Amino acid sequence: MFRTALRTVVAHKARLLMTVLAVMLGVAFVSGTLVFTNTLSDAFQKSSAKGFDQVDVAVTASVPQDEGNRIKKTPDLTPGLLDKSAKAPGAASAVGVVSGFTAIADKDGKLIGGGFQSQGGNYWGAEDTRYPLVDGHAPRGTGEVLIDSETARRAGYKVGDTVRISVDGPVLTPKITGIFTTDDGNVAAGGSLALFDTASAQKLFGKPGTYDEIDVTAEAGTSQAALKAGLDQALPKGLTETTTGEQLAAAQAEAISSQMSGLKQGLLVFAGIALFVGTFIIANTFTMLVAQRTKELALLRAVGASRRQVTRSVLVEAFVVGAVAAVAGLVAGIGIGAGLRSLMGSLGATVPDGPLVISPGTIGSALAVGVLITMLAAWLPGRRAAKIPPVAAMSSVHARATTKSLVLRNTLGALFSAAGVAVVLAATSMDGSDGQAPMGLGAVLLITGVFILTPLLSRPLIAAAAPVLRVFGVSGKLARQNSVRNPRRTAATASALMIGLTLITGMTVMAGSLQKSIDKMAASAIRADYVVSMANGNELSPDVEKKLKAVDGVTATSPLRNAPGRIDGSTESLTGVNGRAIGELTDLKVDDGSFKVSGSQVVVDGDTAKYRGWKAGSDFTVYYEDGRKQRMSVAGVYEGNDMLSGILLDSTVLTPHQTDPADMRVMVKTADGATDAVKDRLEKALGSNPAVKVQDKKDVSNEIAQMFTLMLNMVYGLLAMAVIVAVLGVINTLAMSVFERSQEIGMLRAIGLDRKGTKRMVRLESLVISLFGGVLGIGLGVFFGWAAGELLGTKMATYELVLPWARLSVFLLLAATVGVLAALWPARRAARLNMLTAIRSE
């Protein structure tokens, strides 16, 4: 039986080609994902580990625990602690580190790096081995700076050039006195690093005379653990924490691994979708191959082969096909992993150097996935063939499914579909986070139910196309009859395309609805013409509002100044605003009381009010960060959103209790509204600062929606793999169907159907099957998009369902295009059949 199975594979190698391609693509996706993410993770981990080579133990300030209504301040790392660290047992030297956000502009004034990766720090001089100088000399004073070699290369800077830099205040224009190399992970990720002398860095980052961290190196022969123990004894208890360089490297590696894990899981989900779609092709292929060999299998049964041997022979065929496809997919996946890494570099993303990582786990996973998926998909056709009695197989009385099996299939499909719809509808009435799991379960049940019911649905839906097909005469009529001749085969072919379009349509509906909701939120929540903020999300200096207020044409401004407060023993975020102007700058719906912010009167969002049990007129006591308390009164309760929420109080009340006031955003209203000229005036007033963003309402909504747009484009790209696999499925089914109907096609040619009519018949059949899958996929996608939107609506008051009819039409056109393209080769093959040879075939 084993030899028989191998001979069968060789005999049908052309018919198995599409199955091999489908499995190969899925395996390539899986192995490429694993190679790509493992390579990135390994490169970033090794790069970050190098950054800790000069640190044996890091000393940081202990984060204090708030007690009662007091907010404790984090202690400072003083020069005295630096001296104690340097004199601790086993310490060779100690360096005080200061760091913070530092934006570097390129020669066109644009921010270099991605905001969060733009950092600055202090340089200790010639003895500072953390940042080896490759050119120039150490900086002296705020008028001089060092920049990393990668940033210098990207921006075209050299020693002696003047560069525009912003920390959190006015723009600085220091001279570049040196360029250094670094293994800093932020720079490796595409960011930038600027270094000042220590005194200047402390002043610029608002830490005069103190440090963020103290890095200690050990004497020769002293272990990191021994040095840590010595530092713990030498430094004051409760004020500092010590961490070894090995622990820092391990924590960094774990963080990188965790970040890569999310990317890996996301990519593997789409690889799983491609493989799932591929199972339809495999099952279809083996079903058709087994059907074509029923007499051969019956003869094997008649000469003594058991049911198990017949099933086993089909599984051996599947194993061989799966193994060949898995090996080819693994090789292709390694190429994909290497290509993705190169693509990141060409798109401007900086990836540390390192070897391509092909782990044993990647090889094992790729081979196991390819073989198991193929064998599982082939098991049912093999089992079905083994159950056919030899005499029935020889006379082909087994060809039609029994009424009992059809009733059972349709009943199961209806039950699964009903359960799926019920669970999805129930999930839409739940809270956003609580409804996610039921929504996923309902989606799986509904898709499974529709797949089971697809043979039943195929007849009425394809029949609906009959009036259009009549236009094509005999070819159209034959195409419709061929489409419904074997409903199970048609269903399996259409379902592959259905799954891809379901996901694409659902994501498109959600993305369009979210964009509309975000636009609506920005328009309804903000009356201000502009919102000013830092590029990296850090805090703005209070000087920013003062400068904006002085700009010609500005009629009102308000900061959003955050500070912690203690209320009833727990920490609550307070937001200071301009009480006189906030009503003019916002348009928040008030559900209770009035929107009045003045003195001891505050307004709170609905969620905070519900949690605290407050309503208009409620009183509470707040403890500020300086330990002082004040009695407050709730003037009104408003509907919060992603832009404004929490407790709003007058900034003149909050600011005196802050040691270092800073604003998250500043809202600006102008007499001329939002125009390019006004925006240009505001940016110039801030010194054309590369670190500061001046955005109108459209800019704000676009920025919020940008991640959804990026995610949608990624989904389109990733799901393209599933659509390609589905196209292979249509080609495979049509090609094998043409082979199966060779005699019939020969008879049609003999009685007058010309080659053009034969091609048209096969093309129309492909078009009908693809449109059938497209209609089901778009219908399910719209339903899931609506349901997911209802779930999001519980967290976003402005959510509104938007059906992107233009894109839905494009998706339907895509399904039709898939059908036309997939039929090119099978139609040509059918038209070229020799009619006499075809009539003689069995």
Side-chain angles (χ1 to χ4, degrees), residues 463-636:
V468 178
L469 293 175
R470 285 196 195 102
V471 176
F472 299 95
V474 175
S475 297
K477 183 177 181 181
L478 289 171
R480 184 181 66 80
Q481 291 175 344
N482 290 335
S483 300
V484 296
R485 175 184 294 184
N486 191 327
R488 287 185 175 180
R489 184 190 303 164
T490 298
T493 306
S495 294
L497 191 58
M498 176 191 78
I499 291 169
L501 283 178
T502 295
L503 294 167
I504 290 174
T505 303
M507 291 299 299
T508 301
V509 170
M510 281 183 60
S513 301
L514 280 170
Q515 178 68 65
K516 180 70 177 290
S517 305
I518 292 166
D519 289 344
K520 189 176 177 181
M521 179 182 70
S524 62
I526 302 176
R527 287 180 181 167
D529 295 314
Y530 292 98
V531 176
V532 181
S533 60
M534 290 288 280
N536 69 331
N538 276 4
E539 297 173 328
L540 290 162
S541 167
D543 291 337
V544 169
E545 189 202 3
K546 295 177 183 177
K547 290 181 179 180
L548 292 170
K549 192 180 293 186
V551 175
D552 184 38
V554 171
T555 59
T557 63
S558 175
L560 296 180
R561 185 166 297 169
N562 289 358
R566 300 284 287 182
I567 301 172
D568 295 332
S570 62
T571 302
E572 191 74 59
S573 178
L574 308 175
T575 302
V577 298
N578 184 337
R580 292 189 301 275
I582 192 65
E584 184 182 349
L585 295 166
T586 60
D587 190 16
L588 299 170
K589 182 182 177 182
V590 179
D591 295 326
D592 184 21
S594 61
F595 197 81
K596 186 176 182 180
V597 181
S598 176
S600 62
Q601 289 187 309
V602 302
V603 292
V604 299
D605 68 291
D607 289 341
T608 303
K610 183 179 179 181
Y611 172 72
R612 295 283 180 181
W614 294 340
K615 58 183 180 180
S618 297
D619 294 326
F620 63 93
T621 300
V622 60
Y623 287 80
Y624 297 107
E625 58 182 308
D626 62 357
R628 296 183 181 181
K629 66 178 181 178
Q630 184 175 0
R631 194 69 177 166
M632 293 290 190
S633 176
V634 178

Side-chain angles (χ1 to χ4, degrees), residues 384 398-415 449-459 484-491:
R384 192 183 298 135
H398 65 288
R400 291 185 178 276
T402 63
T403 304
K404 181 180 177 182
S405 69
L406 290 175
V407 170
L408 178 62
R409 180 185 181 113
N410 294 338
T411 303
L412 278 174
L415 289 174
V450 171
F451 169 65
I452 296 172
L453 284 175
T454 307
L456 179 66
L457 297 172
S458 64
R459 289 187 178 276
V484 296
R485 175 184 294 184
N486 191 327
R488 287 185 175 180
R489 184 190 303 164
T490 298

Side-chain angles (χ1 to χ4, degrees), residues 724-747:
I724 291 170
V725 174
V727 172
L728 292 177
V730 179
I731 296 172
N732 193 45
T733 300
L734 288 172
M736 297 194 72
S737 179
V738 166
F739 180 85
E740 189 179 64
R741 299 184 343 238
S742 295
Q743 190 176 55
E744 175 191 320
I745 292 170
M747 288 294 293

Side-chain angles (χ1 to χ4, degrees), residues 24-25 82 127 158 245 255 312 410 420 426 431 440 479 482 499 504 513 570 593 606 717 751 755 821:
M24 186 193 78
L25 283 173
L82 177 63
E127 71 277 13
K158 60 183 184 296
R312 201 177 299 137
N410 294 338
D431 184 66
N482 290 335
I499 291 169
I504 290 174
S513 301
S570 62
I751 62 175
R755 288 189 173 184
L821 294 176

Side-chain angles (χ1 to χ4, degrees), residues 512-829:
S513 301
L514 280 170
Q515 178 68 65
K516 180 70 177 290
S517 305
I518 292 166
D519 289 344
K520 189 176 177 181
M521 179 182 70
S524 62
I526 302 176
R527 287 180 181 167
D529 295 314
Y530 292 98
V531 176
V532 181
S533 60
M534 290 288 280
N536 69 331
N538 276 4
E539 297 173 328
L540 290 162
S541 167
D543 291 337
V544 169
E545 189 202 3
K546 295 177 183 177
K547 290 181 179 180
L548 292 170
K549 192 180 293 186
V551 175
D552 184 38
V554 171
T555 59
T557 63
S558 175
L560 296 180
R561 185 166 297 169
N562 289 358
R566 300 284 287 182
I567 301 172
D568 295 332
S570 62
T571 302
E572 191 74 59
S573 178
L574 308 175
T575 302
V577 298
N578 184 337
R580 292 189 301 275
I582 192 65
E584 184 182 349
L585 295 166
T586 60
D587 190 16
L588 299 170
K589 182 182 177 182
V590 179
D591 295 326
D592 184 21
S594 61
F595 197 81
K596 186 176 182 180
V597 181
S598 176
S600 62
Q601 289 187 309
V602 302
V603 292
V604 299
D605 68 291
D607 289 341
T608 303
K610 183 179 179 181
Y611 172 72
R612 295 283 180 181
W614 294 340
K615 58 183 180 180
S618 297
D619 294 326
F620 63 93
T621 300
V622 60
Y623 287 80
Y624 297 107
E625 58 182 308
D626 62 357
R628 296 183 181 181
K629 66 178 181 178
Q630 184 175 0
R631 194 69 177 166
M632 293 290 190
S633 176
V634 178
V637 178
Y638 67 93
E639 285 188 7
N641 53 53
D642 289 346
M643 302 188 68
L644 283 169
S645 62
I647 301 173
L648 306 184
L649 69 160
D650 198 297
S651 58
T652 58
V653 175
L654 176 65
T655 304
H657 301 285
Q658 293 182 277
T659 54
D660 188 19
D663 304 327
M664 291 305 298
R665 290 190 291 270
V666 176
M667 293 186 288
V668 181
K669 185 83 171 172
T670 65
D672 298 330
T675 66
D676 291 341
V678 172
K679 185 176 182 178
D680 187 56
R681 286 206 303 271
L682 295 176
E683 289 177 340
K684 286 182 177 178
L686 298 175
S688 299
N689 195 321
V692 179
K693 297 183 297 184
V694 179
Q695 299 173 299
D696 59 23
K697 283 188 266 192
K698 190 62 179 176
D699 293 333
V700 171
S701 64
N702 286 343
E703 184 178 57
I704 297 172
Q706 188 176 12
M707 63 176 178
F708 298 112
T709 304
L710 178 63
M711 183 175 66
L712 184 65
N713 291 334
M714 286 180 62
V715 168
Y716 284 158
L718 294 169
L719 286 177
M721 181 70 75
V723 174
I724 291 170
V725 174
V727 172
L728 292 177
V730 179
I731 296 172
N732 193 45
T733 300
L734 288 172
M736 297 194 72
S737 179
V738 166
F739 180 85
E740 189 179 64
R741 299 184 343 238
S742 295
Q743 190 176 55
E744 175 191 320
I745 292 170
M747 288 294 293
L748 289 170
R749 292 288 315 284
I751 62 175
L753 187 67
D754 59 9
R755 288 189 173 184
K756 185 181 290 186
T758 304
K759 284 183 179 180
R760 188 182 301 123
M761 176 186 70
V762 176
R763 287 171 183 162
L764 289 173
E765 180 182 348
S766 174
L767 183 63
V768 166
I769 292 173
S770 297
L771 284 175
F772 171 52
V775 168
L776 286 180
I778 291 171
L780 284 173
V782 169
F783 175 70
F784 290 137
W786 165 82
E790 290 294 302
L791 207 59
L792 282 171
T794 62
K795 296 292 186 183
M796 185 179 287
T798 56
Y799 186 84
E800 177 184 338
L801 178 67
V802 174
L803 292 179
W805 294 109
R807 289 203 177 189
L808 296 183
S809 301
V810 170
F811 295 156
L812 195 60
L813 183 62
L814 172 65
T817 305
V818 165
V820 172
L821 294 176
L824 291 177
W825 177 58
R828 187 166 175 268
R829 182 181 177 188

Side-chain angles (χ1 to χ4, degrees), residues 60-98:
T60 55
S62 296
V63 178
Q65 296 295 319
D66 294 338
E67 297 177 358
N69 289 316
R70 287 187 59 82
I71 298 175
K72 287 192 174 182
K73 183 177 178 294
T74 302
D76 294 324
L77 295 180
T78 62
L81 289 174
L82 177 63
D83 291 339
K84 288 183 179 180
S85 299
K87 296 174 182 177
S93 63
V95 173
V97 177
V98 184

Side-chain angles (χ1 to χ4, degrees), residues 19-35 267-268 270-276 278 282 321-337 362-374 721 725:
T19 297
V20 171
L21 282 174
V23 178
M24 186 193 78
L25 283 173
V27 172
F29 207 157
V30 171
S31 54
T33 294
L34 295 174
V35 169
L267 291 173
L268 287 177
F270 290 98
I273 292 168
L275 284 168
F276 182 58
I282 301 164
V321 171
V324 170
V327 171
L330 176 61
V331 174
I334 294 171
I336 288 172
T362 298
I363 297 172
S365 299
L367 296 178
V369 164
V371 172
L372 287 176
I373 289 292
T374 310
M721 181 70 75
V725 174

